[in-house]
Amino acid sequence: MELLLLTTLAVTGAMVFIAGFHDVSNAIATAVRTHALTPSIAVVVAAVFNAFGAAAGAALGSTVADWLTLPAGAAGLSVLLSGALTACCWGLLTYWWSLPSSTTHALVSGLVGASAAALLLGREAPLDGVNGQFWITVAIPLLLAPVAAFLLSWVAVAVLGYLDRNEEVRFLSTRNRAALAVGAAVVGLGHGMQTGLRAITVMTAALITAGTVQPGSNSLVGVVAAVALLGAAGSLIGGWRITHTLGYRLARLDPLRAMVTQWVSALLMFGGTAVLDVPVSSSQTVAAGLFGAAANHRSVAINRPLAARIVGVWILTVPACLLLGAVLCLAIDPLVSLAG
């Protein structure tokens, strides 16, 4: 049991580290592209605020997923391990493809796929909470967030463009770059809140399932600290493959559209964590925000083939990770039997 618990915690930590360099591009890509921040400063800013975000997310959001009902012992740990390992594999694959994808989608899909596999093995249903509450608190927010980011960015660019129509170009450029630099930090904070909270939830569930700690134990402070440090360490790597995609290949950006994208994404992530307590994908909100900010002006070119590939990966994430989570759960079943 101890080995299975340690493996689950280690893989979840690896998921946080991978998400750090996979998703840091959401905070830094537009700021670096428009010269609001230098690459080195942008990475450090994103890493620091990512760490703060993980701690803030644990304080503001719930670290216990009501839809995630696990049986005690090795059977519950196997589902958590499979879900975290699925998110790791999908994150590495999409980073290799240089395409932004949702760690939360991958994690949740992996957990549900592993649950289905556990049922095939004749175990107690590990995810009894995958019901109406799951759709309301997890699935629907993840699906609606990109749509909201697209629409809000489109409207915000239109409104600001109208209000600023008589302002001096140099003044607007300076103002928007300054706001964009701050926005990069805020997006880093929001990403830490969202991704960090998902990892803290998995680690907390693993410790409780194994009987190591009781709900509400102060020892979970160590979990929050570990997630914060691992996320920051991953962010320091930079994630330049996806940064190049978002900042240089997806759309032709100006400081206004880049700034709007960052602040709309930050608003959705903060609202998801602090107000609604629901998951929001930073990768999807930033990319969809870029689509919306660029789409309201015909002179702003969007790389449509690349945009189609990104949306295709988003659609593929759920079925692929459902299948991968199920396969991994079946593959580690012998280990679970030994631990049980």
Side-chain angles (χ1 to χ4, degrees):
M1 177 73 75
E2 290 78 8
L3 177 60
L4 187 58
L5 173 61
L6 290 175
T7 303
T8 302
L9 295 176
V11 171
T12 306
M15 179 190 74
V16 177
F17 183 82
I18 292 169
F21 68 77
H22 185 281
D23 297 343
V24 68
S25 55
N26 302 325
I28 69 174
T30 56
V32 172
R33 174 66 181 86
T34 57
H35 306 291
L37 293 171
T38 64
S40 57
I41 291 177
V43 167
V44 172
V45 167
V48 170
F49 279 88
N50 193 310
F52 284 132
L60 294 175
S62 172
T63 57
V64 178
D66 293 331
W67 60 272
L68 183 62
T69 306
L70 294 163
L77 289 176
S78 69
V79 173
L80 294 172
L81 175 58
S82 300
L85 192 56
T86 297
C88 290
C89 294
W90 191 249
L92 291 173
L93 179 61
T94 52
Y95 184 76
W96 177 256
W97 289 342
S98 303
L99 297 175
S101 66
S102 170
T103 300
T104 302
H105 276 85
L107 174 62
V108 171
S109 299
L111 288 171
V112 175
S115 171
L119 290 177
L120 291 177
L121 293 170
R123 298 203 184 96
E124 177 186 354
L127 294 180
D128 294 325
V130 180
N131 50 26
Q133 188 175 16
F134 166 78
W135 292 105
I136 294 172
T137 60
V138 179
I140 292 178
L142 287 173
L143 293 173
L144 291 182
V147 178
F150 180 94
L151 295 175
L152 289 174
S153 295
W154 194 97
V155 171
V157 169
V159 171
L160 290 175
Y162 177 79
L163 294 176
D164 293 339
R165 64 191 185 281
N166 296 322
E167 296 288 348
E168 183 182 6
V169 174
R170 180 176 297 180
F171 165 76
L172 291 177
S173 180
T174 301
R175 184 200 67 185
N176 291 333
R177 283 191 172 92
L180 178 56
V182 177
V186 178
V187 170
L189 185 68
H191 173 262
M193 292 171 70
Q194 282 287 334
T195 303
L197 189 56
R198 304 288 86 76
I200 292 167
T201 299
V202 172
M203 288 188 174
T204 301
L207 291 170
I208 294 173
T209 299
T212 304
V213 300
Q214 297 299 319
S217 172
N218 292 331
S219 63
L220 299 183
V221 173
V223 172
V224 176
V227 168
L229 291 175
L230 287 168
S235 298
L236 287 173
I237 294 179
W240 299 113
R241 295 177 70 93
I242 298 178
T243 297
H244 182 70
T245 296
L246 292 176
Y248 294 85
R249 296 176 57 204
L250 182 57
R252 191 177 303 159
L253 291 175
D254 55 59
L256 171 63
R257 286 170 174 78
M259 181 269 293
V260 165
T261 297
Q262 293 294 82
W263 281 99
V264 166
S265 302
L267 175 66
L268 290 172
M269 285 186 282
F270 273 89
T273 301
V275 180
L276 300 176
D277 196 15
V278 297
V280 175
S281 168
S282 61
S283 296
Q284 291 190 355
T285 54
V286 169
L290 286 173
F291 294 156
N296 79 338
H297 200 296
R298 284 177 289 182
S299 66
V300 179
I302 298 178
N303 186 337
R304 297 185 185 277
L306 178 58
R309 288 182 61 200
I310 291 173
V311 175
V313 165
W314 293 353
I315 296 172
L316 182 62
T317 296
V318 172
C321 291
L322 280 170
L323 179 61
L324 182 57
V327 170
L328 289 173
C329 187
L330 294 174
I332 66 175
D333 181 60
L335 176 62
V336 174
S337 300
L338 290 175

